[in-house]
Amino acid sequence: MSPISLDLGVIGNAAAAALVDRAGSIVWMCAPRMDGDPVFCRLLGGEDGTTAGETGDWSIRIERMASSRQSYVRNTAILETVLEDEDGNGLRITDFAPRFKAAGRMFRPLTLIRIIEPLKGAPRVSVLMRPRWNYGAHAPETTRGSNHIRFILGEQVLRLTTNAPVEFVQRGTPFLVDRPYAFVFGPDERLAAHPLDTAHSLLRETRDYWIDWVRSLHLPADWQDVVIRSAITLKLCSHEETGGIVAALTTSIPEYGATGRTWDYRFCWLRDSFFTVKALNALGATRTMEDYLGYVSNIAAASPQGYLQPLFGIGLERRIDEEIAGSLDGYRGLGPVRRGNAAYSQVQNDGYGSVILSVIQYFFDERLPGMGEESLFRRLEPLGEQAFARWDVPDAGLWEFRTRNSVHTHSSLMCWAACDRLARIAAKLGLADRVDFWRGRADTIRDGILARAWNEEQKAFVSTFEGSDLDASLLLIPEIGLLPADDPRFLSTLAAIEKHLRFGHHLYRYRAPDDFGEPETAFTACTFWLIDALARVGRADDARAIFEDVLAHRNHLGLLSEGIHVDTGELWGNYPQTYSMVGLINAAMRLSRRWEDML
């Protein structure tokens, strides 16, 4: 059994998602949604990856394994793992979740497909299929047929259909791989064709879909492979049926060690979704924005006064109560494992700006088949009213402090952005009275931020009004548009942040102790904000050096988690983190040479 780490591949189809380790074991998958019960949960099974006497994974183990290598099929979400034994026998595992257009709509079932085929000699493998339910607490009841096994996992039933000997799979008996075998795991439904024929047909369709999707992206001249992999990963973190976007596919990967900072990120944060939508829009992948517009429109319709909580379930759930799942020991035994996130009940006032910034392109992008009209603008105005009412009201802030509230500069900045963008939208729609109305409100907030967030002693904007501490979100001031990057006040703020929060090529989000003490890992999204700020002020060489260092800290498949430990360079935090993958795209787009300079 391979050791637990974040050297994991991601497969998915914007409905199902799973994580695969270097040895070809699926160690994490939730069903029936990305925020559901982890039917494969070895990732959180403790230091040795065991849970309640079982491993909670789906392993394909080659006997006497000598080596493994892993890569994605170029420009797809199809993962290949090649295993060799000590005698040179080898096999390939191809993992994917079907996704393609059929009958005029997207086919994206809650299904994983695995194909194993010999490459050299006749390797022997054991296929160990051991799902769990109720967060690792229970093994399923099973029934079997001539070519399938049914797993009764609480209230859901999943089926594995295969052309491999079912007896060997059910008992974990080693067998020779002298021909291709397919494994189709998903709903309790019979296949209409032979499992191998089904798997190969779905593989071809899925490969063609992803290649076409990537072909449509507007890529920078440099680091195209980085951008492509990041964009695909962001797409896999969307729940296309509802339009929601999860912050990460996992729960409870610690921010670092035994800190107790273990949070469930399998929900839709309004601010995280804004950054994801913005990055995909920059690449021309606007469909996610269109789906997300439907998601937030449903949220707004259920919030007639415009109040927004900071996060929602991917099915629009408003209650996401936080509980400890005691049946799982946690990543490397570093619990607790949490299901749900109590931050949903916090006041975080940046969400109003996040939503409006997410959909503003809808009013200006002529490529879209249906552009934003006055009716959509009117639905957004209550969010602006809330932003204006709350811009100087204490909240938990984007870092979600659990024991204290303040008037956070970033929240006020996003409230300003909400009013500012409503004024711009009104101008586009020719609504002169609403332009004046929202411009006046934006100016009021702007004046307040400039007066109350500036600390003369620090010569910098600070985290809270009339405060003295710094945090990395202040680097977003020029990106959001409150001040240009060459404004002396921003340049001074950048210098202060580098002095107090930058350590080599890493940036902490803040250094002041919080509810759990001082942070021990650099927050990777903040490092990307630093890269953007440096590039904006003309320090492109510095920005590029930091970017190359971050690229070196990605795992073997080019993916990032939430944070990087400054001393060890190890990845920590929930995975894959949309914030971090967005940062890769934004940095590559900003630092790349122009196409004209390449040709």
Side-chain angles (χ1 to χ4, degrees):
M1 185 184 302
S2 57
I4 296 296
S5 77
L6 295 182
D7 285 338
L8 303 170
V10 181
I11 57 173
N13 60 6
L19 303 181
V20 187
D21 73 9
R22 279 182 177 267
S25 293
I26 294 178
V27 297
W28 185 257
M29 176 191 174
C30 298
R33 303 189 321 196
M34 299 173 189
D35 59 353
D37 193 6
V39 297
F40 299 118
C41 55
R42 181 159 72 86
L43 182 65
L44 299 183
E47 186 174 359
D48 58 358
T50 61
T51 299
E54 298 286 350
T55 58
D57 66 355
W58 180 3
S59 299
I60 298 175
R61 298 183 188 171
I62 189 171
E63 287 194 335
R64 299 184 301 116
M65 187 177 78
S67 67
S68 69
R69 62 183 186 273
Q70 198 170 53
S71 62
Y72 283 103
V73 175
R74 181 175 177 269
N75 293 355
T76 76
I78 301 166
L79 185 66
E80 292 185 343
T81 307
V82 174
L83 306 178
E84 292 187 354
D85 66 20
E86 295 173 357
D87 297 323
N89 299 304
L91 61 87
R92 177 170 55 219
I93 307 169
T94 301
D95 290 324
F96 69 101
R99 178 179 173 84
F100 52 87
K101 290 183 179 179
R105 60 183 180 178
M106 191 62 67
F107 179 69
R108 40 171 165 71
L110 179 67
T111 299
L112 301 184
I113 295 179
R114 316 195 76 182
I115 301 171
I116 58 174
E117 52 192 329
L119 296 179
K120 182 179 180 182
R124 278 168 53 91
V125 301
S126 300
V127 178
L128 302 167
M129 183 77 172
R130 296 173 293 191
R132 308 285 295 178
W133 63 277
N134 193 18
Y135 283 76
H138 304 294
E141 297 180 29
T142 63
T143 61
R144 58 166 289 185
S146 58
N147 64 354
H148 74 267
I149 305 173
R150 297 171 71 247
F151 299 92
I152 303 171
L153 297 147
E155 296 182 354
Q156 62 180 326
V157 180
L158 299 175
R159 177 188 293 227
L160 174 71
T161 305
T162 181
N163 64 315
V166 174
E167 175 77 13
F168 295 164
V169 175
Q170 189 172 39
R171 297 181 178 276
T173 303
F175 61 96
L176 289 172
V177 179
D178 55 358
R179 71 196 75 175
Y181 292 107
F183 302 84
V184 180
F185 181 61
D188 186 25
E189 300 169 356
R190 298 183 63 179
L191 295 184
H194 188 279
L196 191 60
D197 293 339
T198 298
H200 280 150
S201 174
L202 295 177
L203 177 62
R204 287 191 296 271
E205 296 274 14
T206 300
R207 182 179 57 239
D208 290 346
Y209 164 81
W210 285 113
I211 289 172
D212 284 344
W213 188 79
V214 169
R215 184 184 291 127
S216 70
L217 298 179
H218 305 321
L219 297 174
D222 294 313
W223 301 295
Q224 292 189 9
D225 58 332
V226 173
V227 173
I228 289 169
R229 184 53 48 206
S230 300
I232 291 174
T233 305
L234 291 180
K235 187 66 177 175
L236 300 186
C237 290
S238 67
H239 185 71
E240 198 167 62
E241 181 180 358
T242 65
I245 304 167
V246 299
L249 295 174
T250 60
T251 175
S252 304
I253 308 298
E255 291 182 18
Y256 176 70
T259 59
R261 301 172 187 266
T262 56
W263 314 113
D264 193 346
Y265 277 13
R266 300 169 299 159
F267 307 109
C268 184
W269 269 260
L270 299 178
R271 82 174 64 87
D272 297 54
S273 299
F274 153 59
F275 285 107
T276 297
V277 167
K278 182 174 183 289
L280 290 176
N281 283 351
L283 299 175
T286 57
R287 175 70 68 178
T288 300
M289 176 188 64
E290 297 177 65
D291 294 338
Y292 184 64
L293 174 62
Y295 181 84
V296 297
S297 294
N298 278 303
I299 289 172
S303 308
Q305 302 305 314
Y307 172 73
L308 296 177
Q309 64 191 56
L311 65 140
F312 296 82
I314 54 179
L316 301 175
E317 294 84 0
R318 291 173 178 265
R319 288 188 63 91
I320 311 172
D321 293 329
E322 186 174 303
E323 303 173 354
I324 302 299
S327 50
L328 290 168
D329 292 334
Y331 179 78
R332 301 183 184 175
L334 301 169
V337 171
R338 303 177 199 264
R339 53 194 295 186
N341 198 307
Y344 84 89
S345 62
Q346 291 182 345
V347 173
Q348 298 178 26
N349 293 328
D350 62 324
Y352 308 100
S354 296
V355 169
I356 294 171
L357 286 170
S358 296
V359 301
I360 187 173
Q361 188 166 340
Y362 220 79
F363 293 90
F364 292 89
D365 194 336
E366 295 286 349
R367 296 173 300 170
L368 300 177
M371 294 183 65
E373 299 177 346
E374 184 176 345
S375 59
L376 175 58
F377 171 74
R378 297 295 184 183
R379 292 203 302 272
L380 295 176
E381 284 196 295
L383 305 186
E385 294 287 2
Q386 286 284 345
F388 186 72
R390 294 173 177 275
W391 72 269
D392 59 351
V393 174
D395 72 348
L398 83 163
W399 307 125
E400 301 184 340
F401 297 117
R402 294 200 165 199
T403 60
R404 64 179 187 268
N405 284 346
S406 301
V407 180
H408 288 93
T409 302
H410 177 264
S411 296
S412 301
L413 173 66
M414 295 300 284
C415 288
W416 169 80
C419 297
D420 174 78
R421 282 8 179 233
L422 285 173
R424 298 188 196 187
I425 295 169
K428 178 67 164 61
L429 297 175
L431 305 173
D433 60 326
R434 304 314 291 168
V435 174
D436 294 340
F437 179 83
W438 288 113
R439 177 57 53 213
R441 295 203 156 187
D443 289 345
T444 296
I445 299 174
R446 183 179 186 275
D447 291 343
I449 294 172
L450 296 180
R452 299 179 61 188
W454 178 260
N455 183 295
E456 184 62 29
E457 183 178 346
Q458 290 268 31
K459 298 295 183 187
F461 291 107
V462 289
S463 301
T464 60
F465 282 12
E466 288 86 36
S468 59
D469 293 329
L470 297 162
D471 87 78
S473 68
L474 301 165
L475 295 172
L476 295 172
I477 287 173
E479 178 176 345
I480 302 302
L482 188 77
L483 292 175
D486 60 359
D487 187 285
R489 290 165 292 184
F490 178 71
L491 293 173
S492 182
T493 300
L494 172 58
I497 287 175
E498 287 196 89
K499 178 180 178 181
H500 294 286
L501 301 183
R502 180 176 175 180
F503 288 77
H505 288 156
H506 304 285
L507 195 76
Y508 287 96
R509 50 189 163 179
Y510 50 83
R511 291 296 285 165
D514 60 16
D515 309 329
F516 294 83
E518 288 190 14
E520 298 187 56
T521 51
F523 199 66
T524 303
C526 298
T527 302
F528 285 120
W529 296 345
L530 175 62
I531 290 171
D532 181 80
L534 293 174
R536 286 177 186 268
V537 302
R539 294 169 56 188
D541 290 343
D542 290 348
R544 190 170 287 107
I546 296 174
F547 184 47
E548 292 290 354
D549 186 71
V550 175
L551 293 180
H553 284 89
R554 296 174 301 158
N555 73 6
H556 63 296
L557 292 168
L559 307 183
L560 286 169
S561 64
E562 180 182 35
I564 297 173
H565 192 264
V566 172
D567 294 329
T568 66
E570 187 175 11
L571 299 181
W572 286 89
N574 282 306
Y575 175 90
Q577 176 77 1
T578 55
Y579 254 148
S580 301
M581 305 312 294
V582 163
L584 288 169
I585 293 172
N586 290 342
M589 297 285 280
R590 180 160 293 280
L591 297 174
S592 174
R593 291 169 292 175
R594 299 179 306 167
W595 277 103
E596 292 82 357
D597 298 332
M598 297 280 289
L599 303 176

mmCIF file of all heavy atoms in Angstrom, residues 10 44 47 96 112 137 197 212 292 304-305 326 328 339 369 393 409 418 422 427 473 475 488 504 522 525 544 548 569:
data_model
loop_
_atom_site.group_PDB
_atom_site.id
_atom_site.type_symbol
_atom_site.label_atom_id
_atom_site.label_comp_id
_atom_site.label_asym_id
_atom_site.label_seq_id
_atom_site.Cartn_x
_atom_site.Cartn_y
_atom_site.Cartn_z
ATOM 1 N N VAL A 10 -6.528 13.630 -10.318
ATOM 2 C CA VAL A 10 -7.956 13.913 -10.230
ATOM 3 C C VAL A 10 -8.616 13.433 -11.511
ATOM 4 O O VAL A 10 -8.179 13.774 -12.613
ATOM 5 C CB VAL A 10 -8.222 15.421 -10.054
ATOM 6 C CG1 VAL A 10 -9.720 15.690 -9.950
ATOM 7 C CG2 VAL A 10 -7.494 15.954 -8.842
ATOM 8 N N LEU A 44 -8.309 9.745 4.254
ATOM 9 C CA LEU A 44 -8.502 10.221 5.624
ATOM 10 C C LEU A 44 -8.507 9.069 6.626
ATOM 11 O O LEU A 44 -9.027 9.205 7.729
ATOM 12 C CB LEU A 44 -9.813 11.006 5.743
ATOM 13 C CG LEU A 44 -9.932 12.260 4.881
ATOM 14 C CD1 LEU A 44 -11.254 12.963 5.155
ATOM 15 C CD2 LEU A 44 -8.763 13.210 5.133
ATOM 16 N N GLU A 47 -2.753 7.404 9.768
ATOM 17 C CA GLU A 47 -1.343 7.429 9.378
ATOM 18 C C GLU A 47 -0.997 6.336 8.391
ATOM 19 O O GLU A 47 -0.208 6.520 7.466
ATOM 20 C CB GLU A 47 -0.474 7.304 10.632
ATOM 21 C CG GLU A 47 1.009 7.461 10.359
ATOM 22 C CD GLU A 47 1.830 7.470 11.636
ATOM 23 O OE1 GLU A 47 1.231 7.374 12.721
ATOM 24 O OE2 GLU A 47 3.059 7.566 11.538
ATOM 25 N N PHE A 96 -10.962 7.204 -15.822
ATOM 26 C CA PHE A 96 -11.684 8.392 -16.269
ATOM 27 C C PHE A 96 -13.140 8.310 -15.823
ATOM 28 O O PHE A 96 -13.634 7.247 -15.409
ATOM 29 C CB PHE A 96 -11.604 8.559 -17.788
ATOM 30 C CG PHE A 96 -12.356 7.517 -18.581
ATOM 31 C CD1 PHE A 96 -13.610 7.795 -19.120
ATOM 32 C CD2 PHE A 96 -11.813 6.250 -18.798
ATOM 33 C CE1 PHE A 96 -14.305 6.843 -19.855
ATOM 34 C CE2 PHE A 96 -12.494 5.284 -19.525
ATOM 35 C CZ PHE A 96 -13.745 5.579 -20.055
ATOM 36 N N LEU A 112 -17.318 5.869 -12.645
ATOM 37 C CA LEU A 112 -15.878 5.773 -12.868
ATOM 38 C C LEU A 112 -15.594 4.538 -13.697
ATOM 39 O O LEU A 112 -16.203 3.477 -13.484
ATOM 40 C CB LEU A 112 -15.107 5.673 -11.549
ATOM 41 C CG LEU A 112 -15.247 6.810 -10.535
ATOM 42 C CD1 LEU A 112 -14.323 6.546 -9.356
ATOM 43 C CD2 LEU A 112 -14.929 8.152 -11.165
ATOM 44 N N ALA A 137 -17.465 4.370 8.551
ATOM 45 C CA ALA A 137 -17.900 3.606 9.719
ATOM 46 C C ALA A 137 -18.336 2.189 9.376
ATOM 47 O O ALA A 137 -18.208 1.274 10.206
ATOM 48 C CB ALA A 137 -19.037 4.341 10.431
ATOM 49 N N ASP A 197 -16.256 -3.332 -24.277
ATOM 50 C CA ASP A 197 -16.730 -2.517 -25.406
ATOM 51 C C ASP A 197 -17.305 -1.188 -24.909
ATOM 52 O O ASP A 197 -17.056 -0.126 -25.496
ATOM 53 C CB ASP A 197 -17.801 -3.277 -26.192
ATOM 54 C CG ASP A 197 -17.251 -4.508 -26.900
ATOM 55 O OD1 ASP A 197 -16.014 -4.553 -27.117
ATOM 56 O OD2 ASP A 197 -18.043 -5.414 -27.216
ATOM 57 N N ASP A 212 -11.556 18.636 -27.729
ATOM 58 C CA ASP A 212 -12.292 19.744 -28.329
ATOM 59 C C ASP A 212 -12.433 20.906 -27.348
ATOM 60 O O ASP A 212 -12.342 22.083 -27.741
ATOM 61 C CB ASP A 212 -13.681 19.268 -28.774
ATOM 62 C CG ASP A 212 -13.631 18.459 -30.055
ATOM 63 O OD1 ASP A 212 -12.603 18.523 -30.759
ATOM 64 O OD2 ASP A 212 -14.611 17.745 -30.355
ATOM 65 N N TYR A 292 -23.021 29.119 -13.551
ATOM 66 C CA TYR A 292 -22.951 29.735 -12.226
ATOM 67 C C TYR A 292 -23.974 30.851 -12.083
ATOM 68 O O TYR A 292 -24.525 31.075 -10.992
ATOM 69 C CB TYR A 292 -21.540 30.264 -11.972
ATOM 70 C CG TYR A 292 -21.335 30.843 -10.591
ATOM 71 C CD1 TYR A 292 -21.440 30.042 -9.459
ATOM 72 C CD2 TYR A 292 -21.031 32.192 -10.415
ATOM 73 C CE1 TYR A 292 -21.255 30.568 -8.188
ATOM 74 C CE2 TYR A 292 -20.840 32.723 -9.157
ATOM 75 C CZ TYR A 292 -20.956 31.913 -8.048
ATOM 76 O OH TYR A 292 -20.771 32.435 -6.787
ATOM 77 N N PRO A 304 -34.918 37.458 -0.864
ATOM 78 C CA PRO A 304 -35.587 38.656 -1.404
ATOM 79 C C PRO A 304 -35.022 39.961 -0.901
ATOM 80 O O PRO A 304 -35.101 40.979 -1.590
ATOM 81 C CB PRO A 304 -37.047 38.466 -0.959
ATOM 82 C CG PRO A 304 -36.994 37.473 0.168
ATOM 83 C CD PRO A 304 -35.849 36.570 -0.142
ATOM 84 N N GLN A 305 -34.411 39.967 0.288
ATOM 85 C CA GLN A 305 -33.797 41.187 0.807
ATOM 86 C C GLN A 305 -32.334 41.325 0.386
ATOM 87 O O GLN A 305 -31.673 42.294 0.747
ATOM 88 C CB GLN A 305 -33.906 41.219 2.332
ATOM 89 C CG GLN A 305 -35.330 41.142 2.843
ATOM 90 C CD GLN A 305 -36.221 42.215 2.266
ATOM 91 O OE1 GLN A 305 -35.842 43.385 2.223
ATOM 92 N NE2 GLN A 305 -37.402 41.825 1.801
ATOM 93 N N GLY A 326 -16.076 10.862 13.653
ATOM 94 C CA GLY A 326 -15.121 10.166 14.511
ATOM 95 C C GLY A 326 -14.670 8.822 13.995
ATOM 96 O O GLY A 326 -13.692 8.259 14.508
ATOM 97 N N LEU A 328 -13.284 8.276 11.187
ATOM 98 C CA LEU A 328 -12.081 8.453 10.387
ATOM 99 C C LEU A 328 -11.023 9.163 11.231
ATOM 100 O O LEU A 328 -11.320 10.148 11.908
ATOM 101 C CB LEU A 328 -12.374 9.277 9.127
ATOM 102 C CG LEU A 328 -13.230 8.595 8.054
ATOM 103 C CD1 LEU A 328 -13.681 9.607 7.009
ATOM 104 C CD2 LEU A 328 -12.466 7.454 7.404
ATOM 105 N N ARG A 339 -17.344 17.105 8.661
ATOM 106 C CA ARG A 339 -18.337 17.093 7.578
ATOM 107 C C ARG A 339 -19.236 18.295 7.793
ATOM 108 O O ARG A 339 -19.760 18.514 8.883
ATOM 109 C CB ARG A 339 -19.131 15.793 7.570
ATOM 110 C CG ARG A 339 -19.764 15.445 8.885
ATOM 111 C CD ARG A 339 -20.255 14.019 8.956
ATOM 112 N NE ARG A 339 -21.347 13.774 8.018
ATOM 113 C CZ ARG A 339 -22.028 12.614 7.969
ATOM 114 N NH1 ARG A 339 -21.706 11.617 8.791
ATOM 115 N NH2 ARG A 339 -23.001 12.456 7.108
ATOM 116 N N PRO A 369 -24.547 33.770 -26.099
ATOM 117 C CA PRO A 369 -25.809 33.682 -26.849
ATOM 118 C C PRO A 369 -26.930 34.510 -26.243
ATOM 119 O O PRO A 369 -27.801 35.007 -26.956
ATOM 120 C CB PRO A 369 -26.137 32.183 -26.802
ATOM 121 C CG PRO A 369 -25.356 31.648 -25.649
ATOM 122 C CD PRO A 369 -24.121 32.466 -25.565
ATOM 123 N N VAL A 393 -19.619 47.491 8.407
ATOM 124 C CA VAL A 393 -20.155 46.669 9.501
ATOM 125 C C VAL A 393 -19.178 45.522 9.770
ATOM 126 O O VAL A 393 -18.699 44.873 8.832
ATOM 127 C CB VAL A 393 -21.547 46.121 9.126
ATOM 128 C CG1 VAL A 393 -22.047 45.141 10.186
ATOM 129 C CG2 VAL A 393 -22.531 47.265 8.929
ATOM 130 N N THR A 409 -11.016 45.313 5.663
ATOM 131 C CA THR A 409 -10.802 46.132 4.474
ATOM 132 C C THR A 409 -11.204 45.389 3.210
ATOM 133 O O THR A 409 -11.821 45.973 2.302
ATOM 134 C CB THR A 409 -9.333 46.583 4.396
ATOM 135 O OG1 THR A 409 -9.009 47.303 5.586
ATOM 136 C CG2 THR A 409 -9.084 47.453 3.189
ATOM 137 N N ALA A 418 -19.160 45.912 -5.621
ATOM 138 C CA ALA A 418 -20.556 45.628 -5.946
ATOM 139 C C ALA A 418 -21.251 46.877 -6.469
ATOM 140 O O ALA A 418 -21.912 46.853 -7.519
ATOM 141 C CB ALA A 418 -21.279 45.083 -4.717
ATOM 142 N N LEU A 422 -22.310 47.775 -10.431
ATOM 143 C CA LEU A 422 -23.707 48.064 -10.755
ATOM 144 C C LEU A 422 -23.822 49.369 -11.518
ATOM 145 O O LEU A 422 -24.642 49.495 -12.450
ATOM 146 C CB LEU A 422 -24.543 48.096 -9.480
ATOM 147 C CG LEU A 422 -24.855 46.733 -8.851
ATOM 148 C CD1 LEU A 422 -25.530 46.911 -7.507
ATOM 149 C CD2 LEU A 422 -25.724 45.881 -9.779
ATOM 150 N N ALA A 427 -24.790 51.869 -16.787
ATOM 151 C CA ALA A 427 -24.349 52.680 -17.922
ATOM 152 C C ALA A 427 -24.462 51.898 -19.227
ATOM 153 O O ALA A 427 -24.891 52.428 -20.257
ATOM 154 C CB ALA A 427 -22.917 53.153 -17.691
ATOM 155 N N SER A 473 -4.768 39.975 1.342
ATOM 156 C CA SER A 473 -5.869 40.394 0.475
ATOM 157 C C SER A 473 -5.743 41.850 0.042
ATOM 158 O O SER A 473 -6.359 42.264 -0.953
ATOM 159 C CB SER A 473 -7.212 40.186 1.183
ATOM 160 O OG SER A 473 -7.358 41.068 2.279
ATOM 161 N N LEU A 475 -3.385 43.066 -1.427
ATOM 162 C CA LEU A 475 -2.747 43.060 -2.743
ATOM 163 C C LEU A 475 -3.768 43.101 -3.878
ATOM 164 O O LEU A 475 -3.407 43.367 -5.032
ATOM 165 C CB LEU A 475 -1.873 41.818 -2.891
ATOM 166 C CG LEU A 475 -0.666 41.723 -1.955
ATOM 167 C CD1 LEU A 475 -0.007 40.360 -2.059
ATOM 168 C CD2 LEU A 475 0.344 42.830 -2.260
ATOM 169 N N PRO A 488 0.970 55.710 -5.077
ATOM 170 C CA PRO A 488 1.980 55.611 -4.007
ATOM 171 C C PRO A 488 1.481 54.867 -2.778
ATOM 172 O O PRO A 488 2.257 54.179 -2.111
ATOM 173 C CB PRO A 488 2.291 57.075 -3.689
ATOM 174 C CG PRO A 488 1.949 57.822 -4.940
ATOM 175 C CD PRO A 488 0.790 57.098 -5.533
ATOM 176 N N GLY A 504 10.986 34.368 1.426
ATOM 177 C CA GLY A 504 11.499 33.811 0.178
ATOM 178 C C GLY A 504 10.481 34.010 -0.929
ATOM 179 O O GLY A 504 10.040 35.128 -1.210
ATOM 180 N N ALA A 522 2.356 28.846 4.013
ATOM 181 C CA ALA A 522 2.019 29.938 3.099
ATOM 182 C C ALA A 522 0.770 29.544 2.321
ATOM 183 O O ALA A 522 0.621 28.398 1.896
ATOM 184 C CB ALA A 522 3.176 30.186 2.147
ATOM 185 N N ALA A 525 -2.680 30.834 -2.803
ATOM 186 C CA ALA A 525 -3.404 31.883 -3.533
ATOM 187 C C ALA A 525 -2.798 33.249 -3.257
ATOM 188 O O ALA A 525 -2.711 34.096 -4.160
ATOM 189 C CB ALA A 525 -4.882 31.867 -3.139
ATOM 190 N N ARG A 544 8.227 36.569 -12.066
ATOM 191 C CA ARG A 544 8.505 35.332 -12.803
ATOM 192 C C ARG A 544 9.315 34.354 -11.954
ATOM 193 O O ARG A 544 9.081 33.137 -11.992
ATOM 194 C CB ARG A 544 9.225 35.673 -14.105
ATOM 195 C CG ARG A 544 9.342 34.489 -15.067
ATOM 196 C CD ARG A 544 9.841 34.924 -16.424
ATOM 197 N NE ARG A 544 8.803 35.659 -17.158
ATOM 198 C CZ ARG A 544 8.814 36.958 -17.370
ATOM 199 N NH1 ARG A 544 9.804 37.703 -16.888
ATOM 200 N NH2 ARG A 544 7.846 37.538 -18.053
ATOM 201 N N GLU A 548 8.006 30.574 -11.098
ATOM 202 C CA GLU A 548 8.747 29.352 -11.413
ATOM 203 C C GLU A 548 8.958 28.503 -10.156
ATOM 204 O O GLU A 548 8.936 27.268 -10.215
ATOM 205 C CB GLU A 548 10.100 29.714 -12.047
ATOM 206 C CG GLU A 548 10.000 30.351 -13.430
ATOM 207 C CD GLU A 548 9.543 29.376 -14.506
ATOM 208 O OE1 GLU A 548 9.415 28.165 -14.219
ATOM 209 O OE2 GLU A 548 9.314 29.826 -15.649
ATOM 210 N N GLY A 569 8.499 22.754 1.842
ATOM 211 C CA GLY A 569 7.972 22.787 0.485
ATOM 212 C C GLY A 569 6.864 21.788 0.235
ATOM 213 O O GLY A 569 6.410 21.625 -0.899
#
